[in-house]
Amino acid sequence: MSRIEKVVLATNNPKKLTELRRVMAESGLAVEVLGLADFPAYPEPIESERSFEGNAFIKAEAAAKHTGLPSLADDSGLEVDELNSMPGVRSARWAGPDCDDAANNALLLAQLAGVPADQRGARFVCALVLVSPVGERRLWRGEMPGRIADEERGAGGFGYDPLFLPDGEHRTSAELTAAEKDAISHRGKAVRAFITWLGEQR
């Protein structure tokens, strides 16, 4: 893949865009990070794959096609051992297509009711991909292992963070500071791997 001067992050989530711009600035790499809002709107692709990697590639390929620039996309979610690695790619809509975080967390707690602590293993997974306008593809994967608590704790983060206890922590992800979470998170690991690769291409 040729030297990258600009990259599109295929998301409408301003928090993800801010995060990547911050990490890029901290790395010292002169790469401009653009968001989908910087381009004319196009129909969002249907995330029809059964893997994080597959759905991330769908989003990145659509963005690269419509913007003509190398495009990044990620797909992430929670895998719970007791639930055969579900909710997986359905993490955001585990309790239904119109559900919210509270409904997802309530359903997960109900499904794990009575399951002992040593059988509540889980992990957050992030697949981060880069696709060039000519179809070249790269993949970075990050995981944050841990377990599911028996009640929600903490006001930070989002999604399943109030229920997730990272390995080695007595606090949930929602009780960690943003910096503490970034240092060990699945997405943080994947983004740092991408930045390292990008630096090696200079």
Side-chain angles (χ1 to χ4, degrees):
M1 201 172 289
S2 58
R3 182 185 176 101
I4 294 175
E5 306 292 345
K6 295 182 179 180
V7 66
V8 179
L9 183 60
T11 183
N12 288 304
N13 185 327
K15 291 183 179 180
K16 288 186 177 182
L17 188 59
T18 298
E19 177 193 49
L20 183 57
R21 284 173 172 163
R22 184 186 75 243
V23 174
M24 192 70 73
E26 291 172 352
S27 74
L29 297 175
V31 177
E32 183 179 2
V33 180
L34 303 170
L36 292 181
D38 295 310
F39 300 91
Y42 61 87
E44 289 192 19
I46 297 173
E47 298 176 37
S48 56
E49 294 293 326
R50 294 187 177 184
S51 69
F52 298 117
E53 292 85 354
N55 286 325
F57 276 123
I58 286 175
K59 291 183 281 189
E61 286 168 351
K65 175 182 177 181
H66 286 276
T67 66
L69 291 171
S71 298
L72 276 173
D74 81 284
D75 198 43
S76 56
L78 179 69
E79 295 181 342
V80 179
D81 294 340
E82 185 71 10
L83 302 180
N84 296 316
S85 295
M86 296 297 285
V89 296
R90 297 186 60 201
S91 292
R93 52 191 185 278
W94 189 228
D98 299 317
C99 64
D100 58 12
D101 290 347
N104 285 333
N105 285 330
L107 176 58
L108 182 60
L109 281 176
Q111 290 171 323
L112 295 179
V115 176
D118 62 355
Q119 296 177 30
R120 298 170 77 94
R123 71 206 57 81
F124 275 120
V125 178
C126 172
L128 178 69
V129 306
L130 176 69
V131 175
S132 76
V134 295
E136 297 168 292
R137 294 154 50 117
R138 295 277 179 174
L139 164 69
W140 299 271
R141 183 180 172 95
E143 294 190 8
M144 179 167 60
R147 65 189 190 283
I148 304 301
D150 55 11
E151 63 180 1
E152 293 187 46
R153 300 204 311 263
F158 59 92
Y160 298 97
D161 283 347
L163 287 176
F164 190 80
L165 291 159
D167 276 358
E169 271 291 343
H170 62 275
R171 297 172 297 170
T172 68
S173 291
E175 294 176 297
L176 301 178
T177 67
E180 288 174 325
K181 181 182 172 185
D182 285 349
I184 62 173
S185 78
H186 50 308
R187 180 170 167 78
K189 291 174 182 176
V191 169
R192 286 192 295 274
F194 161 67
I195 294 294
T196 297
W197 173 84
L198 198 58
E200 293 170 349
Q201 310 307 305
R202 315 310 279 177

